Amino acid sequence: MKKKVALLAATAMTVSMLAGCGSTEEAAESTADNAAATEETTEETTEETDTTEEAAEDTADAAADKVYKIGICQLLEHPALDAATEGFQAALVELLGEENVTFDLQNAQGEQTNCATICTQFVADGDDLILANATAPLQAAAAATNEIPILGTSITDYATALDIADWTGATGTNVSGTSDLAPLEEQENMLVELFPDAKKVGILYCSAEPNSVYQAQLFEKYLEEDGIEYEEFTAADSNEIQAVVTSACESSDVIYIPTDNTMAANTEVINNVCQPAGVPVVAGEEGICAGCGVATLSISYYDIGYKAGEMAYDILVNGADITTMEVEYAPQVTKKYNATIAEALGVEIPADYEAIAE
């Protein structure tokens, strides 16, 4: 009996040991299976990462290889707008390479209807981006498309140009760009510095240009703060300029002209009236000053054009969201003067002014 009990106990122990060995082997097999599964998952993740990186590289390569077509609508020819266009083109040629960008530069000859026709054609041609150089082209481009990216340059105030009431710095649409707004308070200070005895300032601009109206109103506020009397003299178009300038000279000690495309295109007419009358002009930008002014606190139009070109590259190649891109401003301003006109009128220019190259 004792032998039988011992035999049964030994048998049970052997079964238990065998069962234990079986559990260990199963655990080992399970661990091996888990390790294999983890390795497969890691390999799949690596493959997916590689695929993502390859896709990104392919996208970058495609962007680098693409030839971008840029439509440029410039309101008219004059030094400031020409410089902005040159800066824009130079930036993109430098960043993309000359072989990867083409420009369709169109001059609207100062006509709003021409701006609309030109921008509509850019859309029909499927251009990758539109540069609108001046306010009228910007308005025409914005009316022509809400899909193609539009960058403006030589725009004084985007909120005024696009009728945006709650301006935050970005348009929230397919439009952004650079502004040519110089510090108007500093321009008014310049006028007071150069002509401290001036009792009345004539403000000359084209009434058809919204940004000129905007500048005039701000400038008037600063004149009021200094107790200086002013009067607006506006022309609806080029045909009225000579008569309006004659009237301004008759009742003004100094004339101020903001950045205004119509006046910029007619500086010779303005100078032919103002200089013989002995009435100096303080201008909002260098191009106007070079033609008929004594002094200006001016920005570089080439610089704001170049900045617009950098923004274009960011949109086209890096996929930047234009709807959130804030409008950019000139990095610096410079006091400049027209040596010829200053001498003719006997105006003494301070030493910190830079002569405009002739």
Side-chain angles (χ1 to χ4, degrees):
M1 181 67 178
K2 289 180 179 179
K3 289 182 179 179
K4 187 174 180 180
V5 171
L7 178 62
L8 289 172
T11 301
M13 185 178 297
T14 301
V15 171
S16 176
M17 289 174 65
L18 291 172
C21 289
S23 298
T24 302
E25 290 173 359
E26 287 175 4
E29 289 175 2
S30 176
T31 301
D33 290 343
N34 289 338
T38 301
E39 185 176 348
E40 286 180 12
T41 303
T42 302
E43 289 175 355
E44 289 174 1
T45 302
T46 302
E47 288 175 1
E48 288 175 1
T49 301
D50 291 342
T51 302
T52 302
E53 290 176 353
E54 287 174 5
E57 289 174 0
D58 290 343
T59 301
D61 290 342
D65 292 340
K66 179 175 179 179
V67 177
Y68 294 96
K69 185 177 180 183
I70 312 296
I72 302 175
C73 181
Q74 182 172 317
L75 181 61
L76 46 80
E77 291 182 7
H78 72 67
L81 299 188
D82 293 345
T85 294
E86 289 168 8
F88 177 80
Q89 291 176 308
L92 282 176
V93 168
E94 180 180 326
L95 294 168
L96 291 172
E98 189 173 0
E99 69 281 3
N100 291 329
V101 61
T102 63
F103 301 104
D104 183 5
L105 174 56
Q106 299 291 326
N107 189 323
Q109 304 299 328
E111 297 293 335
Q112 178 78 43
T113 53
N114 291 343
C115 293
T117 301
I118 291 167
C119 291
T120 300
Q121 188 60 53
F122 289 160
V123 175
D125 291 343
D127 287 2
D128 296 299
L129 183 141
I130 296 172
L131 176 73
N133 192 347
T135 300
L138 182 75
Q139 293 170 330
T145 178
N146 59 6
E147 296 180 356
I148 297 174
I150 300 166
L151 288 174
T153 192
S154 313
I155 312 296
T156 303
D157 182 62
Y158 282 76
T160 300
L162 299 175
D163 195 24
I164 299 174
D166 52 344
W167 180 248
T168 61
T171 68
T173 68
N174 62 318
V175 178
S176 188
T178 56
S179 171
D180 65 356
L181 181 62
L184 295 175
E185 184 174 12
E186 292 181 36
Q187 289 187 349
E188 193 269 346
N189 289 339
M190 170 184 284
L191 186 149
V192 173
E193 175 187 38
L194 294 175
F195 307 103
D197 297 327
K199 298 293 187 290
K200 185 174 182 181
V201 175
I203 302 176
L204 175 66
Y205 65 93
C206 176
S207 57
E209 297 190 30
N211 282 313
S212 297
V213 178
Y214 171 80
Q215 292 173 86
Q217 291 173 345
L218 283 180
F219 199 82
E220 289 165 4
K221 183 185 75 170
Y222 299 128
L223 288 172
E224 288 173 358
E225 291 175 358
D226 285 333
I228 298 173
E229 186 182 353
Y230 62 84
E231 182 178 352
E232 291 188 0
F233 296 89
T234 63
D237 55 40
S238 298
N239 296 324
E240 297 181 359
I241 290 178
Q242 184 169 350
V244 171
V245 174
T246 299
S247 178
C249 285
E250 290 173 352
S251 59
S252 306
D253 299 313
V254 183
I255 291 175
Y256 171 71
I257 305 176
T259 56
D260 183 291
N261 293 305
T262 304
M263 297 302 160
N266 291 274
T267 56
E268 184 177 356
V269 175
I270 297 170
N271 189 54
N272 287 343
V273 176
C274 290
Q275 190 169 325
V279 178
V281 171
V282 171
E285 57 93 6
E286 184 175 336
I288 296 175
C289 188
C292 65
V294 168
T296 181
L297 182 68
S298 185
I299 66 167
S300 166
Y301 277 78
Y302 183 91
D303 286 351
I304 62 170
Y306 193 95
K307 182 60 183 179
E310 292 179 326
M311 295 171 75
Y313 178 84
D314 204 20
I315 293 165
L316 295 170
V317 178
N318 298 330
D321 182 3
I322 192 172
T323 66
T324 62
M325 293 180 77
E326 293 195 356
V327 168
E328 299 277 354
Y329 294 83
Q332 62 183 15
V333 292
T334 306
K335 289 181 175 181
K336 293 192 174 184
Y337 73 101
N338 185 321
T340 301
I341 295 179
E343 183 179 357
L345 296 179
V347 179
E348 185 175 345
I349 303 296
D352 59 338
Y353 283 65
E354 177 184 322
I356 296 172
E358 295 182 3

